[in-house]
Amino acid sequence: MKPINLNQRLAGKVAIITGGGGGIGSAVARRIVAEGGRVAIADIVLDSATEVAAELGDAALAVQFDAGDPASIEALIERTVEHFGGLDILHNNAAITTPEIQKYDTTAVDIPLEVWKRILDVNLTGYLVGCKYAIPHMIARGGGSIINTASNSGIVGDLGRIGYGTSKAGIINLSKHVATQYGRQGIRCNAIAPGIVLTEATKKSVPHIAESFGKHLALNRMGTPEDIAALVAYLSADESSYITGQCISIEGGSLIHQPHFADYMGDQ
Ligand SMILES: NC(=O)c1ccc[n+]([C@@H]2O[C@H](COP(=O)([O-])OP(=O)(O)OC[C@H]3O[C@@H](n4cnc5c(N)ncnc54)[C@H](O)[C@@H]3O)[C@@H](O)[C@H]2O)c1
């Protein structure tokens, strides 16, 4: 392996971060640029992508796209390659997180099928389509790294959010398939599974989350977008060149134990 400059691990690399205007995506964009990379910050909300790109100067490009629209994903990838001259890293990170849609993402009986379909289109099919159009460009550069954001919700069941959880479970296996199918051509593909991460949006949409989830976290603190960005940077860099097809949990130890026992102890 070539010697690694730990401050500039991503020098010369080009990344696309979908949902790059959001809480986690913007932290990833900042981290990749801090490590020497260049980024396309892609989001359905152009204003938020533009705001993050403006902070990062020439190393960043804001692109509007819809992760639920395959033509728009293809256009995002072509525009990035044209602008930066190639593509090495794809962080599929966009997901429907708005309470206006999430409130309909309920149970098997109650979820409206159009809500189920839109969630799977954006959160899961959008990730496949990103891989479909990014991989040939990565192979042309000798390889690349794809990081797909899953979630704790893709590993266990829940009382609500059946669409979200199912999309995140699909991402874990999608990542293994892509890793298996293109590993020999230098493509690595991994999923990451965050637990609760305190972004501005999470703080607003679930204000009491720290209190209710706190007692289940082995590490006794909530996750931050910067925690996730550090993992994405590592998986993007050549330093992780022997890791592929994995789902790496980054969740403070919330799923390593039986939650009812923590509740029981808390009641004593
Ligand atoms: N925050 C958490 O607690 C948490 C936990 C586990 C997993 N995740 C995952 O992390 C990722 C980032 O979430 P976040 O917390 O930063 O949320 P966020 O709402 O801050 O960011 C999501 C971004 O995706 C964009 N987006 C939504 N629909 C889109 C579409 N159709 N096309 C393009 N962009 C679209 C939004 O505009 C937003 O900027 C998501 O995949 C989410 O499921 C988050």
Side-chain angles (χ1 to χ4, degrees), residues 9-127:
R9 283 187 303 188
L10 302 175
K13 304 230 188 234
V14 176
I16 293 175
I17 302 159
T18 74
I24 292 173
S26 59
V28 171
R30 291 183 192 104
R31 176 80 191 226
I32 286 183
V33 171
E35 295 209 26
R38 290 174 295 162
V39 284
I41 298 165
D43 207 290
I44 198 162
V45 181
L46 183 59
D47 283 353
S48 56
T50 305
E51 207 174 299
V52 180
E55 264 180 55
L56 300 173
D58 287 349
L61 170 74
V63 184
Q64 183 173 32
F65 90 114
D66 178 359
D69 172 8
S72 148
I73 299 172
E74 184 179 14
L76 158 68
I77 288 165
E78 293 312 317
R79 172 132 185 248
T80 304
V81 169
E82 201 181 314
H83 186 84
F84 289 122
L87 181 64
D88 307 285
I89 299 155
L90 171 64
H91 182 198
N92 277 318
N93 166 78
I96 294 179
T97 55
T98 47
E100 300 78 56
I101 298 184
Q102 282 208 334
K103 72 179 176 199
Y104 296 108
D105 182 10
T106 52
T107 59
V109 170
D110 291 337
I111 186 170
L113 289 181
E114 63 274 18
V115 171
W116 167 268
K117 189 169 179 325
R118 175 70 181 161
I119 290 171
L120 291 184
D121 278 352
V122 171
N123 294 15
L124 180 58
T125 306
Y127 285 30

Side-chain angles (χ1 to χ4, degrees), residues 135-155:
I135 286 169
H137 289 293
M138 291 177 171
I139 291 174
R141 303 257 275 192
S145 179
I146 299 170
I147 299 107
N148 293 323
T149 302
S151 167
N152 266 0
S153 304
I155 297 171

